[in-house]
């Protein structure tokens, strides 16, 4: 089967599985609500994993298919499935009152592996915007280069005197010559020692056959030792004592080249498709353009008459700023029309900030409707594919609007001459007063605002080291068992990675998904120092191609002073973030913004400047604005809990890595920095002894050990665990008191309160049942 047929078959199988899931969620007869919370969560987790499996297949198909029309339809299905995954995630949080879910029992029932829980990140988030991202990177680099002379630099090193420089060069040269002389003398002594031993042993010179036999013995012994070592490694890998070293697969390079070639063909076919679509559109305009214009005019005239019959006066024609008559021909659902503001030029109501409801979910529970999948799969699909799209009418809107505005004015003058004069005067005053100048001023203001923000280091360039979401970290295999025993398990690195992908990356990467899925405006990452919080922020920006705005209190010291300057800065950052979406607004040391009591040494910096303006700016964000506020904090307990949780809707507690994650992290860090893992390096013991240290401590130890000189010595001197432990011992570990403080603080958050209350109710219920059983036994 060809590669195209393979992906088509995968798509059809995924579509069939999706239809089966949709029929299972809402059967013909509504199911009975589930009263048992554990069984209900088991149902949600099963749906979540099955949708995740479908999502992985659809993402692979969309990434490798080259047919443009198929990819457009597949994109809608892909966005719908991603939306359903996010809906199920939201339901699981409401059921368990926890951001971390453990599904090892569901994985066992479905015969899945932990790798099936990984959230696939669609490659089109960045691939389809590669050109725009490169241009944006170049613009930011140019602006930073122009602003660099005016930016303050660190303290410069005092110039060195000429005599000191000459003395330094002489010292380096003498050392070099000394090393060469020592090496030469070492070789002379070795040759003399060899000659002396030969004279003392009285060895005779071998003939040709004896020399050949000696060489054969050495060579055969070397081959046999090598074969024995290889057989021993195979045996140990077979019985599972060591991880098998995967041989180099020559098929990987053709596969990767094939994928890149298909990506190039996708771009070529998409360009051909758009060109053909444009030619067909031009043909339709040429053949049916006059009829389409007359039909649009007739519909607008009918709208004038109907409004006059209902209200007794003619309506106001929509302004150009909101799209003109295009908003009248837009494809909208009845719900969108009923919820629309009746005024054409009026502003829509501001959405309320998401606040946590402390009331627990009432049982029995039932699965919520699957809005995302149904809307993307079944709503208006026939009209979208075979009807005349409203975007094809766009070239006619300016001409038709101009004619119909004049016709509307003539109608108004004919019906009510006095009112017509008043409206004409008002319209002319608006034009003279700056309505037509406003777009030019807006573009100029936006450009100046963006340049000023970059110049003041509010917009940051991403470091090349954080290229993608880190894959180091293992799965928590005993999560369900521990929770059933009443012990809260420690989240693994894989659980943290899954939440970051669901809450940040998927929502920012897809505009359609951001509007359909449950909205998340802000996210707080809380955990000890060195656990990778800032790296996760950079990974979100890199995976989605988002802009990074730094509003950390330390970065705002001395910038935009005064109340007016602060308001201008907040307005500037959020406006540019909306215009250049997707965007991430990062607040490092987020606890400083909501300090309970500001320390004396930080009072001059005024870290609480954003306390009032930041929540207000978040309320102004709409569902179509792909802007996410991410805060990082290693001391969240120093902030006021209520105000902090009011600003950050979701809070993720990031602990130190567990044993399984440390085992994987050590292996990947050593290989990443050029080291090799041999039998002399006991990774298991190293992971066990390094308990209490963060990923940052481990990365720093690996960097200090694997220098260029140490890497050259690896063939003769393999790595040992003691080398890393010596450097780890110099770092301060994460103490249990700090972890306990963070956990106690998390129980004061809204979700932590819900979790604690649910656990207490469950415990009281078990105790009540135990008392009833004892009373029954006593009566018997």
């Amino acid at each position: 089967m060809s590669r195209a047929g393979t992906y088509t078959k995968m798509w059809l199988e995924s579509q069939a599985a999706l239809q089966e899931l949709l029929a299972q969620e809402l059967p013909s007869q509504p199911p009975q609500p589930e009263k048992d919370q554990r069984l209900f969560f088991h149902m949600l987790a099963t749906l979540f994993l099955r949708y995740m499996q479908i999502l992985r297949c659809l993402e692979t198909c969309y990434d490798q298919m080259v047919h443009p029309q198929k990819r457009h339809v597949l994109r809608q299905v892909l966005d719908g499935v991603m939306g359903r995954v996010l809906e199920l995630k939201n339901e699981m949080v409401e059921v368990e009152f926890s951001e971390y879910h453990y599904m090892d029992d569901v994985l066992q029932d479905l015969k899945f592996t932990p790798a099936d829980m990984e959230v696939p990140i669609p490659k089109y988030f960045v691939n389809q915007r590669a050109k725009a991202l490169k241009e944006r990177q170049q613009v930011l680099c140019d602006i930073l280069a122009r602003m660099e002379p005016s930016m303050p630099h660190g303290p410069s090193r005092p110039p060195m005197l000429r005599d000191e420089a000459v003395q330094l060069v002489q010292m380096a040269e003498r050392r070099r010559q000394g090393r060469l002389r020592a090496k030469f003398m070492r070789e002379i002594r070795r040759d003399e020692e060899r000659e002396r031993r030969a004279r003392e042993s009285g060895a005779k010179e071998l003939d040709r056959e004896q020399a050949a036999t000696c060489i054969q013995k050495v060579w055969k012994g070397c081959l046999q030792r090598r074969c024995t070592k290889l057989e021993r490694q195979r045996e140990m890998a077979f019985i599972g004592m060591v991880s098998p070293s995967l041989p180099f697969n020559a098929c990987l390079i053709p596969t990767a080249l094939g994928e890149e070639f298909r990506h190039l063909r996708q771009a070529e076919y998409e360009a051909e498709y758009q060109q053909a679509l444009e030619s067909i559109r031009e043909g339709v305009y040429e053949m049916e353009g006059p009829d389409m214009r007359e039909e649009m005019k007739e519909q607008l005239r009918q709208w004038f008459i109907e409004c006059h019959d209902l209200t007794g006066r003619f309506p106001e024609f929509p302004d150009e700023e909101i799209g003109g008559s295009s908003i009248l021909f837009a494809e909208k659902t009845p719900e969108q029309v009923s919820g629309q503001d009746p005024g054409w030029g009026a502003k829509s109501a501001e959405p309320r900030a998401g606040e946590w409801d402390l009331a627990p979910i009432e049982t029995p529970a039932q699965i919520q409707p699957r809005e995302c999948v149904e809307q993307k799969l079944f709503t208006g699909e026939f009209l979208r594919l075979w009807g005349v799209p409203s975007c094809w009418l766009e070239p006619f809107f300016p001409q038709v609007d101009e004619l119909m505005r004049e016709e509307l004015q003539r109608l108004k003058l004919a019906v009510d001459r006095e009112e017509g004069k008043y409206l004409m005067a008002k319209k002319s005053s608006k034009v003279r007063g700056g309505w037509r100048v406003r777009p030019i001023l807006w573009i100029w203001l936006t450009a100046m605002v963006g340049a000023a923000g970059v110049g003041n280091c509010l917009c940051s360039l991403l470091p090349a080291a954080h290229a993608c979401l880190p894959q180091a970290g293992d799965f928590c295999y005993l999560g369900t068992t521990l929770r059933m025993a009443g012990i809260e398990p420690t989240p693994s690195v894989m659980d943290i990675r899954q939440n970051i992908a669901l809450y940040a990356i998927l929502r920012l990467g897809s505009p359609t998904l951001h509007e359909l899925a449950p909205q998340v405006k802000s996210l707080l990452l809380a955990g000890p120092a060195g656990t990778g919080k800032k790296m996760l922020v950079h990974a979100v920006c890199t995976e989605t191609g988002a802009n990074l705005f730094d509003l950390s209190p330390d970065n705002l010291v001395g910038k935009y002073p005064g109340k007016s300057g602060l308001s201008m800065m907040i307005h500037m950052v959020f406006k540019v973030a909306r215009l250049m979406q997707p965007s991430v607004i990062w607040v490092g040391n987020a606890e400083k913004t909501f300090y309970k009591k500001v320390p004396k040494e930080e009072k001059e910096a005024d870290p609480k400047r954003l306390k009032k303006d930041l929540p207000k700016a978040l309320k102004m964000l709409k569902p179509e604005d792909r802007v996410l506020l991410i805060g990082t904090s290693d001391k969240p307990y120093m902030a006021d809990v209520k105000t902090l949780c009011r600003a950050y809707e979701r809070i993720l507690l990031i602990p130190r890595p567990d044993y399984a994650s440390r085992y994987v992290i050590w292996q990947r860090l050593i290989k990443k920095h050029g080291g090799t893992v041999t039998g002399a390096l006991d990774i298991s013991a190293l992971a066990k002894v390094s308990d209490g240290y963060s990923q940052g401590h481990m990365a720093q130890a690996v960097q200090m050990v694997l220098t260029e000189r140490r890497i050259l010595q690896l063939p003769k001197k393999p790595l040992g665990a003691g080398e890393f432990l010596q450097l780890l011992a110099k770092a301060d570990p994460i103490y249990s008191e700090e972890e306990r403080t963070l956990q106690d603080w998390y129980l004061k958050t809204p979700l932590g309160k819900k979790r604690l209350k649910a656990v207490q109710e469950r415990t009281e219920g078990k105790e009540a049942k135990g008392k009833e059983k004892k009373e029954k036994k006593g009566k018997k």
Side-chain angles (χ1 to χ4, degrees):
M1 183 182 293
S2 64
R3 194 64 78 84
T6 300
Y7 293 118
T8 303
K9 181 181 178 182
M10 186 185 299
W11 182 15
L12 293 176
E13 292 175 353
S14 302
Q15 194 75 21
L18 181 60
Q19 295 292 344
E20 180 184 350
L21 275 181
L22 292 176
Q24 177 183 346
E25 283 196 66
L26 288 181
S28 56
Q29 295 182 357
Q32 294 293 331
E34 183 60 52
K35 297 183 179 180
D36 191 347
Q37 183 182 4
R38 290 182 179 176
L39 290 179
F40 182 65
F41 176 77
H42 193 279
M43 294 167 53
L44 288 177
T46 303
L47 290 174
F48 180 82
L49 292 178
R50 294 186 64 184
Y51 272 113
M52 195 76 74
Q53 190 86 348
I54 295 173
L55 175 59
R56 187 173 291 102
C57 295
L58 292 178
E59 195 278 328
T60 304
C61 294
Y62 183 77
D63 181 59
Q64 293 299 313
M65 274 190 174
V66 297
H67 197 288
Q69 291 93 329
K70 288 183 179 180
R71 297 184 80 243
H72 289 174
V73 178
L74 183 56
R75 170 71 177 273
Q76 288 199 355
V77 182
L78 180 62
D79 288 343
V81 173
M82 283 194 293
R84 184 55 183 155
V85 169
L86 296 182
E87 289 177 350
L88 290 172
K89 167 65 178 178
N90 193 50
E91 292 182 32
M92 289 191 295
V93 172
E94 293 177 355
V95 170
E96 279 204 324
F97 307 121
S98 175
E99 299 288 357
Y100 299 104
H101 315 290
Y102 304 98
M103 313 175 192
D104 41 313
D105 56 338
V106 184
L107 288 175
Q108 187 176 2
D109 294 342
L110 296 177
K111 308 300 181 183
F112 286 173
T113 62
D116 294 324
M117 285 189 62
E118 289 283 356
V119 180
I121 300 174
K123 299 180 180 64
Y124 77 84
F125 286 174
V126 176
N127 292 344
Q128 294 185 358
R129 300 176 56 237
K131 186 177 180 181
L133 293 176
K134 187 178 294 184
E135 293 176 355
R136 186 194 69 190
Q137 190 80 358
Q138 186 63 35
V139 169
L140 292 177
C141 291
D142 294 341
I143 294 177
L144 288 176
R146 289 198 301 268
M147 299 295 295
E148 188 175 359
S150 61
M151 293 177 63
H153 296 277
S156 59
R157 186 175 180 179
M160 184 181 296
L161 298 177
R162 183 176 180 180
D163 295 341
E164 294 180 359
V166 171
Q167 186 179 3
L168 186 63
V169 173
Q170 289 177 350
M171 290 172 60
E173 179 62 22
R174 291 192 186 103
R175 290 173 182 173
R176 187 186 68 84
Q177 292 180 3
R179 287 192 295 269
L180 291 177
R181 192 180 300 110
K183 182 179 179 182
F184 180 67
M185 294 302 297
R186 193 183 307 114
E187 292 177 354
I188 292 177
R189 292 193 190 94
R190 185 177 56 196
D191 294 340
E192 291 177 354
E193 183 69 18
R194 188 183 300 114
E195 293 177 359
R196 184 182 62 80
R197 289 179 180 178
R199 287 195 302 269
E200 291 178 356
S201 60
K204 299 179 180 179
E205 185 176 353
L206 301 177
D207 56 7
R208 187 173 181 180
E209 292 184 0
Q210 292 176 346
T213 304
C214 183
I215 294 174
Q216 287 177 0
K217 289 180 180 179
V218 174
W219 177 243
K220 289 181 179 180
C222 179
L223 284 180
Q224 187 60 40
R225 285 190 295 271
R226 187 180 301 175
C227 292
T228 304
K229 184 178 179 180
L230 184 60
E231 289 294 332
R232 183 180 180 186
Q233 290 179 354
R234 290 177 179 175
E235 181 183 0
M236 297 296 288
F238 177 74
I239 63 178
M241 296 300 294
V242 295
S243 58
S245 57
L246 297 177
F248 178 79
N249 192 353
C251 298
L252 294 178
I253 293 181
T255 303
L257 292 177
E259 292 180 357
E260 293 297 328
F261 180 68
R262 294 180 75 84
H263 289 163
L264 295 176
R265 290 176 62 189
Q266 286 177 2
E268 294 176 0
Y269 289 174
E270 182 66 26
E272 293 179 3
Y273 172 68
Q274 295 297 336
Q275 185 177 0
L277 196 63
E278 186 65 26
S279 62
I280 294 174
R281 187 183 291 114
E282 292 177 357
V284 172
Y285 291 159
E286 183 178 355
M287 297 295 295
E288 302 182 10
D291 296 338
M292 295 170 70
R293 278 193 291 268
E294 291 300 325
E295 186 177 352
M296 291 171 64
K297 290 180 182 179
E298 188 62 31
Q299 292 182 9
L300 290 175
R301 291 192 190 100
Q302 185 67 24
W303 177 59
F304 296 160
I305 296 171
E306 290 178 357
C307 288
H308 186 272
D309 293 341
L310 290 174
T311 62
R313 57 184 299 175
F314 289 104
E316 291 287 342
F317 202 87
D319 295 333
E320 295 180 3
E321 294 182 352
I322 61 174
S325 61
S326 61
I327 62 175
L328 302 176
F329 293 92
E331 299 173 1
K332 293 186 177 182
T333 61
E335 292 79 5
Q336 291 174 330
V337 175
S338 62
Q340 185 176 341
D341 198 325
W344 294 115
K347 296 181 180 179
S348 59
E350 298 176 1
R352 298 181 61 185
E355 298 181 356
W356 294 88
D357 184 12
L358 295 180
I361 294 180
E362 298 180 358
T363 55
Q366 195 168 5
I367 298 177
Q368 299 297 322
R370 65 279 168 98
E371 298 178 1
C372 288
V373 181
E374 286 185 338
Q375 185 168 352
K376 299 307 295 180
L377 290 181
F378 306 110
T379 303
E381 186 68 16
F382 179 79
L383 293 176
R384 191 194 67 80
L385 290 176
W386 303 109
V388 178
S390 60
C391 61
W392 284 32
L393 303 176
E394 290 180 1
F396 303 121
F397 285 143
Q399 305 171 10
V400 173
D401 287 358
E402 185 177 358
L403 295 175
M404 297 309 295
R405 280 194 181 94
E406 296 177 359
E407 185 172 340
L408 180 60
Q409 288 294 334
R410 289 196 295 270
L411 284 173
K412 289 181 178 181
L413 286 173
V415 174
D416 191 350
R417 193 172 296 273
E418 292 297 328
E419 186 179 356
K421 291 180 181 178
Y422 171 72
L423 290 175
M424 287 181 65
K426 186 177 179 181
K427 186 71 175 179
S428 62
S429 66
K430 276 188 178 181
V431 173
R432 289 194 300 270
W435 283 93
R436 293 183 179 176
V437 183
R438 183 174 298 174
I440 300 175
L441 292 175
W442 177 75
I443 294 173
W444 175 83
L445 177 63
T446 301
M448 294 301 293
V449 160
V454 172
N456 287 277
C457 300
L458 297 181
C459 187
S460 305
L461 290 174
L462 296 180
H466 305 290
C468 60
L469 194 66
Q471 298 298 321
D474 206 354
F475 175 72
C476 183
Y477 295 93
L478 297 176
T480 304
T481 305
L482 292 175
R483 272 197 172 172
M484 292 180 66
I487 303 173
E488 185 64 22
T490 302
S492 65
V493 177
M494 183 178 177
D495 298 325
I496 298 169
R497 185 168 62 241
Q498 184 188 71
N499 278 329
I500 292 295
L502 292 175
Y503 282 140
I505 296 178
L506 294 186
R507 283 178 163 87
L508 288 177
S510 174
T512 307
L513 184 62
H514 193 274
E515 294 183 14
L516 291 177
Q519 191 175 10
V520 175
K521 296 181 181 179
S522 54
L523 178 66
L524 178 64
L525 306 179
T531 50
K533 299 181 292 295
K534 186 176 179 180
M535 180 192 61
L536 291 174
V537 176
H538 290 160
V540 170
C541 297
T542 306
E543 293 285 0
T544 59
N547 302 283
L548 180 62
F549 296 87
D550 187 2
L551 288 185
S552 302
D554 298 336
N555 191 38
L556 299 180
V557 177
K559 299 175 183 176
Y560 299 96
K563 189 174 181 180
S564 59
L566 179 64
S567 301
M568 185 189 72
M569 180 194 66
I570 293 293
H571 173 75
M572 174 189 68
V573 169
F574 276 83
K575 183 173 183 179
V576 177
R578 285 193 294 265
L579 292 175
M580 300 175 63
Q581 57 183 301
S583 300
V584 171
I585 299 176
W586 172 50
V587 180
N589 296 325
E591 76 280 355
K592 294 185 177 182
T593 307
F594 305 97
Y595 262 148
K596 297 178 183 177
K597 184 179 180 181
V598 181
K600 294 181 179 180
E601 60 273 10
E602 297 185 18
K603 284 187 177 180
E604 294 183 0
D606 192 13
K608 299 176 66 174
R609 294 176 63 193
L610 301 176
K611 182 177 180 180
K612 295 181 179 179
D613 293 335
L614 190 62
K616 291 180 181 178
L618 284 175
K619 292 180 181 180
M620 300 297 293
L621 293 178
K622 301 177 182 178
E624 60 268 17
D625 297 331
R626 287 186 293 158
V627 179
L628 180 65
L629 174 68
I630 301 181
T632 57
S633 174
D634 54 355
K635 299 177 181 178
Y637 43 84
M638 297 184 67
D640 183 62
V641 178
K642 292 184 179 179
T643 54
L644 184 68
C645 296
R646 196 177 295 121
Y648 296 97
E649 300 176 4
R650 301 288 183 180
I651 299 176
L652 296 181
L653 194 61
I654 302 180
R656 57 181 173 82
D658 54 0
Y659 169 79
S661 298
R662 291 195 303 272
Y663 188 91
V664 178
I665 290 172
W666 276 118
Q667 284 185 327
R668 299 212 175 192
L669 284 175
I670 292 173
K671 293 179 181 178
K672 177 183 177 182
H673 290 85
T676 54
V677 179
T678 61
L681 178 59
D682 192 350
I683 296 291
S684 178
L686 186 60
K688 186 67 176 177
V689 176
S690 59
D691 185 15
Y693 292 93
S694 65
Q695 298 94 319
H697 295 145
M698 297 161 64
Q700 187 177 4
V702 172
Q703 290 175 2
M704 295 179 67
V705 169
L706 290 175
T707 59
E708 295 183 4
R709 182 181 180 185
R710 186 65 184 88
I711 292 175
L712 294 176
Q713 296 174 351
L714 288 178
K716 298 181 179 179
K717 184 181 177 183
L719 290 171
E723 300 180 57
F724 301 101
L725 294 178
Q726 289 178 0
L727 295 173
L728 276 180
K730 299 178 181 179
D732 293 331
I734 301 173
Y735 296 102
S736 58
E737 292 81 6
E738 182 180 359
E739 291 184 334
R740 198 176 303 112
T741 304
L742 286 171
Q743 292 172 359
D744 294 341
W745 168 84
Y746 186 76
L747 293 177
K748 298 178 183 178
T749 62
L751 195 62
K753 289 180 179 178
K754 292 181 181 180
R755 177 75 182 171
L756 185 61
K757 185 177 180 181
V759 172
Q760 290 177 353
E761 291 179 354
R762 194 179 301 119
T763 305
E764 291 175 358
K766 290 182 179 179
E767 292 178 356
K769 290 182 180 179
K771 290 181 180 179
E772 291 179 0
K773 290 182 179 179
K774 289 182 180 179
E775 290 177 357
K776 290 181 180 179
K777 289 182 179 179
K779 291 180 180 179
K780 291 181 180 180

